[in-house]
Amino acid sequence: MLLYDDAIAPTPRRVRMFLAEKGVEIPRRMVTIGKGEHLSPDYRARVPSGRIPALELDDGTIICESVAICRYIEELHPEPNLMGRDAKERAIIEMWQRRMEFELLLPLAGVFRHTHPKMAALECQVPAYAEAQKPQAEKRLEQLDRDLAVTNHVAGDRFTIADITAFTTLSFFPRLCGIVIDGKLPNIQRWLADIGTRSSASA
């Protein structure tokens, strides 16, 4: 297998953190999004969507989308379990994973992609879209802080892929979007500090 990776973007970091939690190592080839390498003819010949990360299997199959890659790894290496041990737990973790992706990551990514100067070469920036997304992200952060007041982790009492998605999102986007996680969000602060002590956080 070969993992096409980017050192900075948060979505590839999700896969690296997931692999680190599993103790699984996969050879990597760096493809720098900031340099537009994901749009090169050579990369698009291998990965037509141009997505990063992408996992190339030994038979040539390409799996894109970070959660799909994590699902594949979970099937190969079920422990430590990060996506649910039974039908109920899998559904609950998937629910929270999708909430973190759709309600937190996407609004924050929208602000970043449509306002940050370094994204101008890669996006048709629409500042009005970012302006609409920023309050949505802030509102969702307030809700997440309330949620984390009653649980140790995003999807309940144990660490899962939902924590990985939220952690990699909040470690990257807020500071680039003019959003501060401070004492008004004490439970998120506590949770970020806790997740930050895991060895996988440095992946």
Side-chain angles (χ1 to χ4, degrees):
M1 289 189 289
L2 178 64
L3 179 65
Y4 295 97
D5 194 9
D6 177 271
I8 297 175
T11 301
R13 188 184 179 195
R14 276 202 280 183
V15 173
R16 292 197 304 272
M17 195 168 176
F18 193 92
L19 291 170
E21 289 285 336
K22 295 283 187 180
V24 173
E25 294 187 7
I26 297 176
R28 293 186 291 155
R29 181 174 298 170
M30 304 309 293
V31 181
T32 304
I33 296 173
K35 295 180 180 179
E37 293 176 354
H38 63 303
L39 303 176
S40 71
D42 178 64
Y43 185 68
R44 295 296 287 266
R46 293 176 175 272
V47 184
S49 70
R51 296 294 183 91
I52 302 290
L55 181 65
E56 183 174 0
L57 306 187
D58 293 341
D59 66 0
T61 299
I62 298 291
I63 302 174
C64 294
E65 309 301 338
S66 59
V67 177
I69 294 170
C70 292
R71 172 67 65 188
Y72 183 76
I73 299 302
E74 178 97 342
E75 293 293 329
L76 295 181
H77 305 277
E79 295 298 334
N81 179 275
L82 297 174
M83 302 183 87
R85 294 190 177 91
D86 56 31
K88 179 181 177 180
E89 191 180 42
R90 282 192 293 271
I92 290 172
I93 292 170
E94 177 67 10
M95 175 182 72
W96 283 101
Q97 151 62 25
R98 290 172 73 84
R99 285 177 177 175
M100 293 301 97
E101 195 163 53
F102 293 135
E103 299 174 10
L104 193 64
L105 188 157
L106 290 183
L108 285 168
V111 177
F112 169 69
R113 292 170 72 171
H114 288 274
T115 60
H116 200 280
K118 289 188 176 181
M119 294 302 294
L122 299 174
E123 296 284 344
C124 178
Q125 292 184 318
V126 182
Y129 178 76
E131 185 178 346
Q133 290 298 297
K134 186 174 180 179
Q136 294 300 315
E138 292 172 328
K139 182 178 179 180
R140 191 60 183 85
L141 282 168
E142 292 171 359
Q143 180 60 56
L144 179 59
D145 193 73
R146 290 191 291 270
D147 294 335
L148 288 171
V150 296
T151 60
N152 292 324
H153 297 284
V154 171
D157 291 330
R158 72 180 184 90
F159 182 87
T160 69
I161 188 173
D163 292 286
I164 293 176
T165 295
F167 181 79
T168 54
T169 295
L170 297 182
S171 296
F172 182 82
F173 286 116
R175 61 188 175 84
L176 300 173
C177 297
I179 294 175
V180 178
I181 297 177
D182 56 17
K184 294 180 181 179
L185 300 168
N187 299 302
I188 292 180
Q189 284 189 316
R190 181 266 305 164
W191 171 83
L192 282 170
D194 180 56
I195 303 301
T197 64
R198 302 180 75 91
S199 59
S200 64
S202 62

PDB file of all heavy atoms in Angstrom, residues 103-138:
ATOM      1  N   GLU A 103     -20.934  19.739  10.418  1.00  0.00           N
ATOM      2  CA  GLU A 103     -21.352  20.917  11.180  1.00  0.00           C
ATOM      3  C   GLU A 103     -20.183  21.742  11.714  1.00  0.00           C
ATOM      4  O   GLU A 103     -20.376  22.896  12.104  1.00  0.00           O
ATOM      5  CB  GLU A 103     -22.241  20.490  12.345  1.00  0.00           C
ATOM      6  CG  GLU A 103     -23.514  19.777  11.908  1.00  0.00           C
ATOM      7  CD  GLU A 103     -24.322  19.238  13.074  1.00  0.00           C
ATOM      8  OE1 GLU A 103     -24.001  19.583  14.237  1.00  0.00           O
ATOM      9  OE2 GLU A 103     -25.262  18.464  12.834  1.00  0.00           O
ATOM     10  N   LEU A 104     -18.980  21.168  11.738  1.00  0.00           N
ATOM     11  CA  LEU A 104     -17.826  21.884  12.287  1.00  0.00           C
ATOM     12  C   LEU A 104     -16.734  22.051  11.235  1.00  0.00           C
ATOM     13  O   LEU A 104     -16.343  23.165  10.901  1.00  0.00           O
ATOM     14  CB  LEU A 104     -17.287  21.136  13.508  1.00  0.00           C
ATOM     15  CG  LEU A 104     -16.275  21.905  14.370  1.00  0.00           C
ATOM     16  CD1 LEU A 104     -16.928  23.137  14.990  1.00  0.00           C
ATOM     17  CD2 LEU A 104     -15.718  21.001  15.466  1.00  0.00           C
ATOM     18  N   LEU A 105     -16.254  20.943  10.691  1.00  0.00           N
ATOM     19  CA  LEU A 105     -15.163  21.014   9.716  1.00  0.00           C
ATOM     20  C   LEU A 105     -15.567  21.805   8.483  1.00  0.00           C
ATOM     21  O   LEU A 105     -14.837  22.701   8.042  1.00  0.00           O
ATOM     22  CB  LEU A 105     -14.724  19.598   9.323  1.00  0.00           C
ATOM     23  CG  LEU A 105     -13.468  19.466   8.455  1.00  0.00           C
ATOM     24  CD1 LEU A 105     -12.855  18.083   8.631  1.00  0.00           C
ATOM     25  CD2 LEU A 105     -13.741  19.702   6.977  1.00  0.00           C
ATOM     26  N   LEU A 106     -16.715  21.500   7.893  1.00  0.00           N
ATOM     27  CA  LEU A 106     -17.090  22.151   6.634  1.00  0.00           C
ATOM     28  C   LEU A 106     -17.304  23.657   6.774  1.00  0.00           C
ATOM     29  O   LEU A 106     -16.824  24.429   5.932  1.00  0.00           O
ATOM     30  CB  LEU A 106     -18.317  21.472   6.028  1.00  0.00           C
ATOM     31  CG  LEU A 106     -18.072  20.057   5.474  1.00  0.00           C
ATOM     32  CD1 LEU A 106     -19.347  19.516   4.836  1.00  0.00           C
ATOM     33  CD2 LEU A 106     -16.925  20.039   4.463  1.00  0.00           C
ATOM     34  N   PRO A 107     -18.013  24.137   7.813  1.00  0.00           N
ATOM     35  CA  PRO A 107     -18.124  25.595   7.947  1.00  0.00           C
ATOM     36  C   PRO A 107     -16.775  26.286   8.158  1.00  0.00           C
ATOM     37  O   PRO A 107     -16.515  27.329   7.553  1.00  0.00           O
ATOM     38  CB  PRO A 107     -19.035  25.781   9.163  1.00  0.00           C
ATOM     39  CG  PRO A 107     -19.829  24.527   9.240  1.00  0.00           C
ATOM     40  CD  PRO A 107     -18.887  23.449   8.786  1.00  0.00           C
ATOM     41  N   LEU A 108     -15.931  25.706   8.996  1.00  0.00           N
ATOM     42  CA  LEU A 108     -14.620  26.301   9.224  1.00  0.00           C
ATOM     43  C   LEU A 108     -13.778  26.260   7.954  1.00  0.00           C
ATOM     44  O   LEU A 108     -13.095  27.236   7.625  1.00  0.00           O
ATOM     45  CB  LEU A 108     -13.897  25.579  10.362  1.00  0.00           C
ATOM     46  CG  LEU A 108     -14.405  25.898  11.771  1.00  0.00           C
ATOM     47  CD1 LEU A 108     -13.835  24.921  12.786  1.00  0.00           C
ATOM     48  CD2 LEU A 108     -14.062  27.331  12.153  1.00  0.00           C
ATOM     49  N   ALA A 109     -13.823  25.141   7.241  1.00  0.00           N
ATOM     50  CA  ALA A 109     -13.089  25.042   5.982  1.00  0.00           C
ATOM     51  C   ALA A 109     -13.613  26.059   4.974  1.00  0.00           C
ATOM     52  O   ALA A 109     -12.841  26.638   4.200  1.00  0.00           O
ATOM     53  CB  ALA A 109     -13.198  23.623   5.420  1.00  0.00           C
ATOM     54  N   GLY A 110     -14.930  26.301   5.000  1.00  0.00           N
ATOM     55  CA  GLY A 110     -15.501  27.287   4.101  1.00  0.00           C
ATOM     56  C   GLY A 110     -14.970  28.679   4.369  1.00  0.00           C
ATOM     57  O   GLY A 110     -14.661  29.433   3.433  1.00  0.00           O
ATOM     58  N   VAL A 111     -14.849  29.035   5.637  1.00  0.00           N
ATOM     59  CA  VAL A 111     -14.288  30.343   5.987  1.00  0.00           C
ATOM     60  C   VAL A 111     -12.844  30.432   5.512  1.00  0.00           C
ATOM     61  O   VAL A 111     -12.438  31.411   4.859  1.00  0.00           O
ATOM     62  CB  VAL A 111     -14.368  30.598   7.505  1.00  0.00           C
ATOM     63  CG1 VAL A 111     -13.706  31.932   7.861  1.00  0.00           C
ATOM     64  CG2 VAL A 111     -15.818  30.586   7.973  1.00  0.00           C
ATOM     65  N   PHE A 112     -12.059  29.420   5.815  1.00  0.00           N
ATOM     66  CA  PHE A 112     -10.635  29.414   5.442  1.00  0.00           C
ATOM     67  C   PHE A 112     -10.454  29.466   3.929  1.00  0.00           C
ATOM     68  O   PHE A 112      -9.696  30.294   3.405  1.00  0.00           O
ATOM     69  CB  PHE A 112      -9.978  28.153   6.016  1.00  0.00           C
ATOM     70  CG  PHE A 112      -8.595  27.894   5.493  1.00  0.00           C
ATOM     71  CD1 PHE A 112      -7.543  28.724   5.839  1.00  0.00           C
ATOM     72  CD2 PHE A 112      -8.350  26.814   4.664  1.00  0.00           C
ATOM     73  CE1 PHE A 112      -6.260  28.491   5.356  1.00  0.00           C
ATOM     74  CE2 PHE A 112      -7.068  26.568   4.173  1.00  0.00           C
ATOM     75  CZ  PHE A 112      -6.026  27.409   4.521  1.00  0.00           C
ATOM     76  N   ARG A 113     -11.160  28.627   3.220  1.00  0.00           N
ATOM     77  CA  ARG A 113     -10.955  28.512   1.777  1.00  0.00           C
ATOM     78  C   ARG A 113     -11.409  29.760   1.031  1.00  0.00           C
ATOM     79  O   ARG A 113     -10.874  30.074  -0.036  1.00  0.00           O
ATOM     80  CB  ARG A 113     -11.692  27.287   1.251  1.00  0.00           C
ATOM     81  CG  ARG A 113     -11.083  25.982   1.750  1.00  0.00           C
ATOM     82  CD  ARG A 113     -11.933  24.783   1.434  1.00  0.00           C
ATOM     83  NE  ARG A 113     -11.892  24.470   0.014  1.00  0.00           N
ATOM     84  CZ  ARG A 113     -12.404  23.364  -0.511  1.00  0.00           C
ATOM     85  NH1 ARG A 113     -12.997  22.482   0.266  1.00  0.00           N
ATOM     86  NH2 ARG A 113     -12.324  23.145  -1.805  1.00  0.00           N
ATOM     87  N   HIS A 114     -12.353  30.494   1.612  1.00  0.00           N
ATOM     88  CA  HIS A 114     -12.887  31.658   0.903  1.00  0.00           C
ATOM     89  C   HIS A 114     -12.359  32.992   1.413  1.00  0.00           C
ATOM     90  O   HIS A 114     -12.803  34.044   0.948  1.00  0.00           O
ATOM     91  CB  HIS A 114     -14.414  31.630   0.946  1.00  0.00           C
ATOM     92  CG  HIS A 114     -14.996  30.565   0.079  1.00  0.00           C
ATOM     93  ND1 HIS A 114     -15.246  30.736  -1.257  1.00  0.00           N
ATOM     94  CD2 HIS A 114     -15.343  29.277   0.358  1.00  0.00           C
ATOM     95  CE1 HIS A 114     -15.748  29.624  -1.771  1.00  0.00           C
ATOM     96  NE2 HIS A 114     -15.803  28.722  -0.810  1.00  0.00           N
ATOM     97  N   THR A 115     -11.408  32.948   2.374  1.00  0.00           N
ATOM     98  CA  THR A 115     -10.833  34.197   2.871  1.00  0.00           C
ATOM     99  C   THR A 115      -9.309  34.209   2.918  1.00  0.00           C
ATOM    100  O   THR A 115      -8.706  35.278   2.784  1.00  0.00           O
ATOM    101  CB  THR A 115     -11.342  34.514   4.304  1.00  0.00           C
ATOM    102  OG1 THR A 115     -10.974  33.442   5.192  1.00  0.00           O
ATOM    103  CG2 THR A 115     -12.853  34.705   4.311  1.00  0.00           C
ATOM    104  N   HIS A 116      -8.692  33.056   3.111  1.00  0.00           N
ATOM    105  CA  HIS A 116      -7.241  33.064   3.325  1.00  0.00           C
ATOM    106  C   HIS A 116      -6.500  33.363   2.018  1.00  0.00           C
ATOM    107  O   HIS A 116      -6.780  32.748   0.989  1.00  0.00           O
ATOM    108  CB  HIS A 116      -6.772  31.717   3.888  1.00  0.00           C
ATOM    109  CG  HIS A 116      -5.442  31.805   4.558  1.00  0.00           C
ATOM    110  ND1 HIS A 116      -4.256  31.818   3.863  1.00  0.00           N
ATOM    111  CD2 HIS A 116      -5.105  31.914   5.873  1.00  0.00           C
ATOM    112  CE1 HIS A 116      -3.250  31.907   4.705  1.00  0.00           C
ATOM    113  NE2 HIS A 116      -3.728  31.975   5.927  1.00  0.00           N
ATOM    114  N   PRO A 117      -5.533  34.293   2.058  1.00  0.00           N
ATOM    115  CA  PRO A 117      -4.814  34.671   0.837  1.00  0.00           C
ATOM    116  C   PRO A 117      -4.138  33.491   0.124  1.00  0.00           C
ATOM    117  O   PRO A 117      -4.092  33.458  -1.109  1.00  0.00           O
ATOM    118  CB  PRO A 117      -3.775  35.680   1.336  1.00  0.00           C
ATOM    119  CG  PRO A 117      -4.366  36.236   2.587  1.00  0.00           C
ATOM    120  CD  PRO A 117      -5.124  35.107   3.216  1.00  0.00           C
ATOM    121  N   LYS A 118      -3.640  32.534   0.885  1.00  0.00           N
ATOM    122  CA  LYS A 118      -2.939  31.409   0.258  1.00  0.00           C
ATOM    123  C   LYS A 118      -3.874  30.481  -0.504  1.00  0.00           C
ATOM    124  O   LYS A 118      -3.420  29.654  -1.297  1.00  0.00           O
ATOM    125  CB  LYS A 118      -2.160  30.628   1.318  1.00  0.00           C
ATOM    126  CG  LYS A 118      -0.949  31.369   1.846  1.00  0.00           C
ATOM    127  CD  LYS A 118      -0.096  30.500   2.742  1.00  0.00           C
ATOM    128  CE  LYS A 118       1.155  31.234   3.184  1.00  0.00           C
ATOM    129  NZ  LYS A 118       2.021  30.392   4.054  1.00  0.00           N
ATOM    130  N   MET A 119      -5.175  30.601  -0.243  1.00  0.00           N
ATOM    131  CA  MET A 119      -6.133  29.751  -0.951  1.00  0.00           C
ATOM    132  C   MET A 119      -6.641  30.400  -2.232  1.00  0.00           C
ATOM    133  O   MET A 119      -7.361  29.769  -3.008  1.00  0.00           O
ATOM    134  CB  MET A 119      -7.315  29.431  -0.032  1.00  0.00           C
ATOM    135  CG  MET A 119      -6.957  28.578   1.164  1.00  0.00           C
ATOM    136  SD  MET A 119      -6.228  26.982   0.697  1.00  0.00           S
ATOM    137  CE  MET A 119      -7.616  26.198  -0.120  1.00  0.00           C
ATOM    138  N   ALA A 120      -6.270  31.647  -2.467  1.00  0.00           N
ATOM    139  CA  ALA A 120      -6.785  32.369  -3.633  1.00  0.00           C
ATOM    140  C   ALA A 120      -6.417  31.697  -4.946  1.00  0.00           C
ATOM    141  O   ALA A 120      -7.181  31.738  -5.913  1.00  0.00           O
ATOM    142  CB  ALA A 120      -6.277  33.811  -3.613  1.00  0.00           C
ATOM    143  N   ALA A 121      -5.252  31.059  -4.984  1.00  0.00           N
ATOM    144  CA  ALA A 121      -4.818  30.406  -6.221  1.00  0.00           C
ATOM    145  C   ALA A 121      -5.514  29.076  -6.451  1.00  0.00           C
ATOM    146  O   ALA A 121      -5.487  28.551  -7.564  1.00  0.00           O
ATOM    147  CB  ALA A 121      -3.302  30.193  -6.196  1.00  0.00           C
ATOM    148  N   LEU A 122      -6.139  28.541  -5.399  1.00  0.00           N
ATOM    149  CA  LEU A 122      -6.757  27.216  -5.506  1.00  0.00           C
ATOM    150  C   LEU A 122      -8.279  27.275  -5.491  1.00  0.00           C
ATOM    151  O   LEU A 122      -8.933  26.273  -5.784  1.00  0.00           O
ATOM    152  CB  LEU A 122      -6.277  26.331  -4.348  1.00  0.00           C
ATOM    153  CG  LEU A 122      -4.769  26.058  -4.269  1.00  0.00           C
ATOM    154  CD1 LEU A 122      -4.452  25.294  -2.996  1.00  0.00           C
ATOM    155  CD2 LEU A 122      -4.299  25.280  -5.487  1.00  0.00           C
ATOM    156  N   GLU A 123      -8.854  28.424  -5.114  1.00  0.00           N
ATOM    157  CA  GLU A 123     -10.298  28.547  -4.964  1.00  0.00           C
ATOM    158  C   GLU A 123     -10.832  29.761  -5.724  1.00  0.00           C
ATOM    159  O   GLU A 123     -10.122  30.751  -5.897  1.00  0.00           O
ATOM    160  CB  GLU A 123     -10.666  28.724  -3.476  1.00  0.00           C
ATOM    161  CG  GLU A 123     -10.341  27.559  -2.594  1.00  0.00           C
ATOM    162  CD  GLU A 123     -11.323  26.409  -2.748  1.00  0.00           C
ATOM    163  OE1 GLU A 123     -12.422  26.629  -3.307  1.00  0.00           O
ATOM    164  OE2 GLU A 123     -10.981  25.301  -2.303  1.00  0.00           O
ATOM    165  N   CYS A 124     -12.063  29.668  -6.166  1.00  0.00           N
ATOM    166  CA  CYS A 124     -12.795  30.854  -6.622  1.00  0.00           C
ATOM    167  C   CYS A 124     -13.454  31.429  -5.375  1.00  0.00           C
ATOM    168  O   CYS A 124     -14.556  31.020  -4.988  1.00  0.00           O
ATOM    169  CB  CYS A 124     -13.828  30.475  -7.678  1.00  0.00           C
ATOM    170  SG  CYS A 124     -14.804  31.886  -8.249  1.00  0.00           S
ATOM    171  N   GLN A 125     -12.748  32.315  -4.699  1.00  0.00           N
ATOM    172  CA  GLN A 125     -13.167  32.754  -3.375  1.00  0.00           C
ATOM    173  C   GLN A 125     -14.413  33.633  -3.424  1.00  0.00           C
ATOM    174  O   GLN A 125     -14.537  34.525  -4.260  1.00  0.00           O
ATOM    175  CB  GLN A 125     -12.027  33.488  -2.677  1.00  0.00           C
ATOM    176  CG  GLN A 125     -10.865  32.561  -2.317  1.00  0.00           C
ATOM    177  CD  GLN A 125      -9.782  33.259  -1.545  1.00  0.00           C
ATOM    178  OE1 GLN A 125      -9.404  34.392  -1.844  1.00  0.00           O
ATOM    179  NE2 GLN A 125      -9.243  32.584  -0.533  1.00  0.00           N
ATOM    180  N   VAL A 126     -15.334  33.341  -2.502  1.00  0.00           N
ATOM    181  CA  VAL A 126     -16.577  34.097  -2.357  1.00  0.00           C
ATOM    182  C   VAL A 126     -16.642  34.572  -0.905  1.00  0.00           C
ATOM    183  O   VAL A 126     -17.123  33.843  -0.024  1.00  0.00           O
ATOM    184  CB  VAL A 126     -17.808  33.238  -2.708  1.00  0.00           C
ATOM    185  CG1 VAL A 126     -19.085  34.071  -2.595  1.00  0.00           C
ATOM    186  CG2 VAL A 126     -17.674  32.637  -4.097  1.00  0.00           C
ATOM    187  N   PRO A 127     -16.145  35.754  -0.606  1.00  0.00           N
ATOM    188  CA  PRO A 127     -16.105  36.237   0.781  1.00  0.00           C
ATOM    189  C   PRO A 127     -17.461  36.217   1.476  1.00  0.00           C
ATOM    190  O   PRO A 127     -17.533  35.978   2.688  1.00  0.00           O
ATOM    191  CB  PRO A 127     -15.569  37.667   0.636  1.00  0.00           C
ATOM    192  CG  PRO A 127     -14.747  37.626  -0.623  1.00  0.00           C
ATOM    193  CD  PRO A 127     -15.487  36.689  -1.536  1.00  0.00           C
ATOM    194  N   ALA A 128     -18.531  36.452   0.739  1.00  0.00           N
ATOM    195  CA  ALA A 128     -19.856  36.453   1.351  1.00  0.00           C
ATOM    196  C   ALA A 128     -20.216  35.077   1.893  1.00  0.00           C
ATOM    197  O   ALA A 128     -20.920  34.960   2.901  1.00  0.00           O
ATOM    198  CB  ALA A 128     -20.905  36.911   0.338  1.00  0.00           C
ATOM    199  N   TYR A 129     -19.733  34.029   1.226  1.00  0.00           N
ATOM    200  CA  TYR A 129     -19.985  32.669   1.710  1.00  0.00           C
ATOM    201  C   TYR A 129     -19.270  32.466   3.048  1.00  0.00           C
ATOM    202  O   TYR A 129     -19.838  31.909   3.988  1.00  0.00           O
ATOM    203  CB  TYR A 129     -19.506  31.647   0.689  1.00  0.00           C
ATOM    204  CG  TYR A 129     -19.689  30.226   1.127  1.00  0.00           C
ATOM    205  CD1 TYR A 129     -20.937  29.623   1.108  1.00  0.00           C
ATOM    206  CD2 TYR A 129     -18.602  29.468   1.565  1.00  0.00           C
ATOM    207  CE1 TYR A 129     -21.118  28.315   1.515  1.00  0.00           C
ATOM    208  CE2 TYR A 129     -18.763  28.156   1.976  1.00  0.00           C
ATOM    209  CZ  TYR A 129     -20.019  27.583   1.950  1.00  0.00           C
ATOM    210  OH  TYR A 129     -20.181  26.286   2.372  1.00  0.00           O
ATOM    211  N   ALA A 130     -18.028  32.909   3.122  1.00  0.00           N
ATOM    212  CA  ALA A 130     -17.273  32.792   4.376  1.00  0.00           C
ATOM    213  C   ALA A 130     -17.959  33.569   5.494  1.00  0.00           C
ATOM    214  O   ALA A 130     -18.028  33.104   6.636  1.00  0.00           O
ATOM    215  CB  ALA A 130     -15.853  33.307   4.164  1.00  0.00           C
ATOM    216  N   GLU A 131     -18.464  34.733   5.163  1.00  0.00           N
ATOM    217  CA  GLU A 131     -19.140  35.564   6.163  1.00  0.00           C
ATOM    218  C   GLU A 131     -20.373  34.862   6.728  1.00  0.00           C
ATOM    219  O   GLU A 131     -20.687  34.985   7.916  1.00  0.00           O
ATOM    220  CB  GLU A 131     -19.546  36.887   5.525  1.00  0.00           C
ATOM    221  CG  GLU A 131     -20.140  37.888   6.496  1.00  0.00           C
ATOM    222  CD  GLU A 131     -20.477  39.210   5.833  1.00  0.00           C
ATOM    223  OE1 GLU A 131     -20.019  39.445   4.699  1.00  0.00           O
ATOM    224  OE2 GLU A 131     -21.201  40.002   6.462  1.00  0.00           O
ATOM    225  N   ALA A 132     -21.050  34.082   5.876  1.00  0.00           N
ATOM    226  CA  ALA A 132     -22.230  33.343   6.335  1.00  0.00           C
ATOM    227  C   ALA A 132     -21.852  32.109   7.136  1.00  0.00           C
ATOM    228  O   ALA A 132     -22.594  31.694   8.035  1.00  0.00           O
ATOM    229  CB  ALA A 132     -23.084  32.948   5.138  1.00  0.00           C
ATOM    230  N   GLN A 133     -20.701  31.507   6.816  1.00  0.00           N
ATOM    231  CA  GLN A 133     -20.295  30.274   7.473  1.00  0.00           C
ATOM    232  C   GLN A 133     -19.676  30.496   8.844  1.00  0.00           C
ATOM    233  O   GLN A 133     -19.797  29.642   9.725  1.00  0.00           O
ATOM    234  CB  GLN A 133     -19.304  29.514   6.583  1.00  0.00           C
ATOM    235  CG  GLN A 133     -19.905  28.927   5.327  1.00  0.00           C
ATOM    236  CD  GLN A 133     -20.975  27.910   5.646  1.00  0.00           C
ATOM    237  OE1 GLN A 133     -20.713  26.877   6.259  1.00  0.00           O
ATOM    238  NE2 GLN A 133     -22.205  28.205   5.247  1.00  0.00           N
ATOM    239  N   LYS A 134     -19.033  31.622   9.043  1.00  0.00           N
ATOM    240  CA  LYS A 134     -18.331  31.847  10.310  1.00  0.00           C
ATOM    241  C   LYS A 134     -19.262  31.798  11.520  1.00  0.00           C
ATOM    242  O   LYS A 134     -18.956  31.096  12.497  1.00  0.00           O
ATOM    243  CB  LYS A 134     -17.569  33.168  10.259  1.00  0.00           C
ATOM    244  CG  LYS A 134     -16.686  33.388  11.494  1.00  0.00           C
ATOM    245  CD  LYS A 134     -15.829  34.635  11.342  1.00  0.00           C
ATOM    246  CE  LYS A 134     -14.954  34.855  12.561  1.00  0.00           C
ATOM    247  NZ  LYS A 134     -14.099  36.062  12.419  1.00  0.00           N
ATOM    248  N   PRO A 135     -20.402  32.471  11.525  1.00  0.00           N
ATOM    249  CA  PRO A 135     -21.290  32.363  12.694  1.00  0.00           C
ATOM    250  C   PRO A 135     -21.842  30.957  12.892  1.00  0.00           C
ATOM    251  O   PRO A 135     -22.120  30.561  14.032  1.00  0.00           O
ATOM    252  CB  PRO A 135     -22.404  33.371  12.407  1.00  0.00           C
ATOM    253  CG  PRO A 135     -22.310  33.686  10.967  1.00  0.00           C
ATOM    254  CD  PRO A 135     -20.886  33.490  10.576  1.00  0.00           C
ATOM    255  N   GLN A 136     -21.994  30.199  11.809  1.00  0.00           N
ATOM    256  CA  GLN A 136     -22.434  28.816  11.939  1.00  0.00           C
ATOM    257  C   GLN A 136     -21.387  27.990  12.676  1.00  0.00           C
ATOM    258  O   GLN A 136     -21.707  27.160  13.533  1.00  0.00           O
ATOM    259  CB  GLN A 136     -22.716  28.214  10.559  1.00  0.00           C
ATOM    260  CG  GLN A 136     -23.875  28.850   9.832  1.00  0.00           C
ATOM    261  CD  GLN A 136     -25.180  28.736  10.598  1.00  0.00           C
ATOM    262  OE1 GLN A 136     -25.513  27.676  11.120  1.00  0.00           O
ATOM    263  NE2 GLN A 136     -25.911  29.835  10.683  1.00  0.00           N
ATOM    264  N   ALA A 137     -20.123  28.210  12.338  1.00  0.00           N
ATOM    265  CA  ALA A 137     -19.041  27.507  13.017  1.00  0.00           C
ATOM    266  C   ALA A 137     -18.977  27.895  14.488  1.00  0.00           C
ATOM    267  O   ALA A 137     -18.795  27.043  15.373  1.00  0.00           O
ATOM    268  CB  ALA A 137     -17.712  27.803  12.323  1.00  0.00           C
ATOM    269  N   GLU A 138     -19.121  29.174  14.772  1.00  0.00           N
ATOM    270  CA  GLU A 138     -19.068  29.637  16.160  1.00  0.00           C
ATOM    271  C   GLU A 138     -20.229  29.062  16.971  1.00  0.00           C
ATOM    272  O   GLU A 138     -20.044  28.659  18.130  1.00  0.00           O
ATOM    273  CB  GLU A 138     -19.087  31.166  16.178  1.00  0.00           C
ATOM    274  CG  GLU A 138     -17.826  31.788  15.607  1.00  0.00           C
ATOM    275  CD  GLU A 138     -17.925  33.285  15.454  1.00  0.00           C
ATOM    276  OE1 GLU A 138     -19.025  33.799  15.203  1.00  0.00           O
ATOM    277  OE2 GLU A 138     -16.872  33.959  15.582  1.00  0.00           O
TER     278      GLU A 138
END
